[in-house]
Every structure is written in C-alpha cells, then in structure tokens.
Amino acid sequence: MRHFITLFDLTRDELLHLLTMAERLKRQRSRGKARRKLGGKVVALIFEKPSLRTRVSFESAVAQLGGASIFLTGGEVGLGTREAIPDCARTLSQFCDAVILRTFAHSTVETFAEHASVPVINGLTDAHHPCQALSDLFTMREHFGELRGRIVAFVGDGNNVARSLAAGCGMLGMHFVLAAPEGYGFEPEYADLLRQRFPEVRFEINGSPKEAVRHADVVYTDVWTSMGQEAEKDARCQAFRGFQVNEQLLEQAPAHAVVMHCLPAHRGEEITSEVLDGQRSIAFQQAGNRLHAQKALLEWLMSQQGRRSRR
Ligand code: CP
Ligand code: NVA
C-alpha cells in the first residue's frame, strides 16, 4: 500500500511524474475538460486542526474527479481518545478508498497508515506538510521551468512547511537556505538526513535573512507561530524580530526573485502586506495550485493500490 506521509515516500521520478500530471490537469481544467478518475470512490478527511486551503482544495479535487468526500473533525472521531488509532484505521479502510489526515503528532498519521488498507495522505502534521511542498514545487516549475540548481531561501521558522520544502528541493537538485533565529532551525538530525540523502545539494542554515536571500530565486516564508504553538506566540514574535520578509529585505535579493508563502499569513509579522500583495508575490497562484497538485496525487496514489512499493 502506497501512502504519502512525507515527500520521501516518492522517488524522484515519481515526484517529477506528479508535477507533470498536475500541469496536464491544470490545463485540462482551464479547457473545461471533465475527468472522472475517482468515480464511485469515497475519500475521508480527518482534521484535528483548522484548514482552508488543504480541506477545500482536496474536497474540490475529489468532487471534480467524480468522487465523494466526508469531512470529520478530530474531535468527533476521537482519534486515539475515543478509539485506538489502529482501530479507526482498520474500520475506515472498509468504508473509504483513501484517508487524508491533519494532526498534531506526526506519529498519529504514521500509526494510522500502518494499519490502514487504503492510501493515507498527510494533510499536515507538526513535523511535515508534504502536500504543500508538492504543490509549491509545481508552482516553482510553472514559474521557472527547470528547477535544478535554483535556490530557495526560507526566512523564518524551521517548521513543518520548511522541512517538507527542503526535502522536495533536495529531490529536485535545488539548494535550500534556511534563515532562522538560533533554536528555530532544523533539528541537527534532520539537517544531517538531508545532507546525507542529497550530497550534491547545498543545505545552509544561518541566522542572516540578508545573506540567505542574496542569491535566491525564491524567498519563502511562513508564520512564526504554527497551529498548536499559540502559547509561545509572544516569545516567538520576539525571537523572530528581524526575520520579516519586507521590501527592505527584498532589495537584497536578485531582481528576478519571487516571494512565496503557504498561507495563511500573519500580515505584519513574518511578511508585510506590501510584499504579500506586491508584484513579486506568487502566493495566491501558489494557493490555487494546491487543487491541481493534489488532484494529481489522488489520481496517482489511488491507481497504485495493489501495486508493490518499489522502495
Ligand atoms: N497552506 C495550508 O495548508 O493552508 P490551510 O491551513 O488553510 O489548509
Ligand atoms: N506552519 C503552519 C502551516 C499552515 C499551513 C502551521 O503548521 O500552522
């Protein structure tokens, strides 16, 4: 059974295949061509955290592909509280053809996938956001074409979005520079893992946003306080002062560099409205692309059912 828990669940070729599929699906949709590859299929979504983009883009994707979706909050399912996670997974696998989970603990999704007999997709955990990274690589490819050798500067927290994006960059031969305050970069184990897996790629972690963006093709940021970290908000705002993506910082980046943000944004914290709404921002194209990338993922993953994993 193939799942999509982190980007490492894909080979490089599979990732490239999904990006090409997403491009085709986007083109087909703009021509009004219907595609019913999920006809008769049911996809369940269980979300322990709020969501606009992930939930709606997945539910729309399923509907546009001819399937049906069922949305459940973590509270109503009681994953691991009302019922053991493996029991939920075994039961739900008999009603549904795929399950998308958004959880706090990454281990919840891993445990669920271990016991599910249908594909499981990670719709964000505290540790990873692979659907975002998949879609972001699609947006970057749409903008730049070939991505090998391009440089992404991530200014802000070494969080779920940053971790998944760094993995995706490594897989496609892109360099990744993280500018984070001390204590908010990647855990050393994750940085080592990236360097071991992708020795030809540069992963830099430094404390200087100006240095980080100097040669960047993409300046990326995300919130300083992720869902579940609300109690740390004041301390984080303090620690991240000086890490805002604003016009002054963008002046240090090459003229062709674009700005990306996974959204939702905390305007005035990690990014100014001037930049987010400005000429160099592709954040809303980026948000829209979630639909196409996830359609490709759903179609492909569900067609893999019954095939043996090659890794
Ligand atoms: N970027 C993203 O995942 O947005 P949501 O939290 O609204 O789903
Ligand atoms: N890092 C953010 C991403 C939201 C899409 C969070 O986890 O809240």
Side-chain angles (χ1 to χ4, degrees):
M1 180 56 49
R2 299 293 301 270
H3 302 295
F4 187 59
I5 311 296
T6 72
L7 273 199
F8 297 128
D9 288 320
L10 302 176
T11 63
R12 180 176 184 276
D13 285 350
E14 287 168 345
L15 173 57
L16 287 169
H17 173 69
L18 288 181
L19 299 182
T20 303
M21 253 181 104
E23 198 181 313
R24 195 170 65 239
L25 290 169
K26 184 170 181 176
R27 220 174 23 244
Q28 286 178 352
R29 177 162 165 77
S30 73
R31 293 191 190 128
K33 207 167 151 195
R35 202 173 161 98
R36 319 279 302 169
K37 293 280 176 147
L38 261 56
K41 305 275 188 203
V42 177
V43 176
L45 297 93
I46 305 176
F47 279 35
E48 292 178 349
K49 297 173 174 174
S51 171
L52 174 68
R53 280 144 290 270
T54 308
R55 176 183 176 178
V56 181
S57 57
F58 263 121
E59 291 210 59
S60 298
V62 172
Q64 288 169 19
L65 292 171
S69 59
I70 299 171
F71 181 83
L72 298 149
T73 63
E76 61 197 327
V77 174
L79 257 188
T81 51
R82 179 170 183 261
E83 199 167 357
I85 298 167
D87 296 352
C88 291
R90 282 191 210 114
T91 306
L92 214 48
S93 295
Q94 299 179 66
F95 304 141
C96 303
D97 301 283
V99 182
I100 302 162
L101 293 165
R102 169 168 286 201
T103 64
F104 289 94
H106 187 72
S107 60
T108 301
V109 178
E110 289 177 327
T111 306
F112 195 100
E114 255 169 57
H115 297 275
S117 51
V118 296
V120 172
I121 295 174
N122 176 358
L124 181 147
T125 64
D126 288 346
H128 290 279
H129 196 359
C131 294
Q132 183 70 52
L134 173 68
S135 176
D136 291 345
L137 294 170
F138 169 52
T139 302
M140 289 180 203
R141 206 163 77 143
E142 208 170 34
H143 191 82
F144 292 109
E146 171 62 37
L147 292 178
R148 184 175 287 279
R150 295 276 177 190
I151 301 174
V152 175
F154 192 105
V155 180
D157 192 17
N159 63 14
N160 44 10
V161 170
R163 277 190 212 101
S164 292
L165 187 60
C169 287
M171 288 171 78
L172 297 189
M174 301 169 75
H175 307 294
F176 186 90
V177 187
L178 173 65
E182 197 154 353
Y184 293 96
F186 291 152
E187 303 77 5
E189 302 75 38
Y190 193 64
D192 289 348
L193 174 82
L194 291 170
R195 292 190 180 112
Q196 275 162 19
R197 278 186 96 125
F198 312 109
E200 74 289 3
V201 165
R202 262 193 299 119
F203 290 103
E204 282 173 27
I205 303 181
N206 69 50
S208 164
K210 278 188 186 168
E211 285 304 313
V213 304
R214 202 166 310 279
H215 303 290
D217 297 291
V218 175
V219 177
Y220 199 119
T221 190
D222 181 20
V223 293
W224 295 336
T225 306
S226 286
M227 293 179 280
Q229 298 173 332
E230 290 76 8
E232 299 170 30
K233 186 173 170 24
D234 290 347
R236 285 177 164 270
C237 284
Q238 185 71 29
F240 282 94
R241 201 171 291 189
F243 286 77
Q244 185 184 64
V245 174
N246 53 30
E247 286 295 345
Q248 242 178 324
L249 181 66
L250 278 193
E251 278 169 19
Q252 309 296 318
H256 71 270
V258 293
V259 174
M260 296 181 73
H261 191 309
C262 58
L263 303 178
H266 294 166
R267 288 170 180 260
E269 289 185 20
E270 78 279 0
I271 193 165
T272 58
S273 286
E274 199 182 6
V275 169
L276 187 61
D277 300 327
Q279 295 265 312
R280 300 171 78 173
S281 165
I282 57 169
F284 291 93
Q285 170 190 345
Q286 177 187 356
N289 278 338
R290 297 288 302 275
L291 176 72
H292 314 293
Q294 289 161 192
K295 265 185 182 169
L297 175 68
L298 280 169
E299 248 196 65
W300 177 80
L301 199 56
M302 290 167 79
S303 74
Q304 298 296 304
Q305 217 166 339
R307 293 191 192 180
R308 272 174 64 84
S309 167
R310 287 193 297 279
R311 282 152 309 111

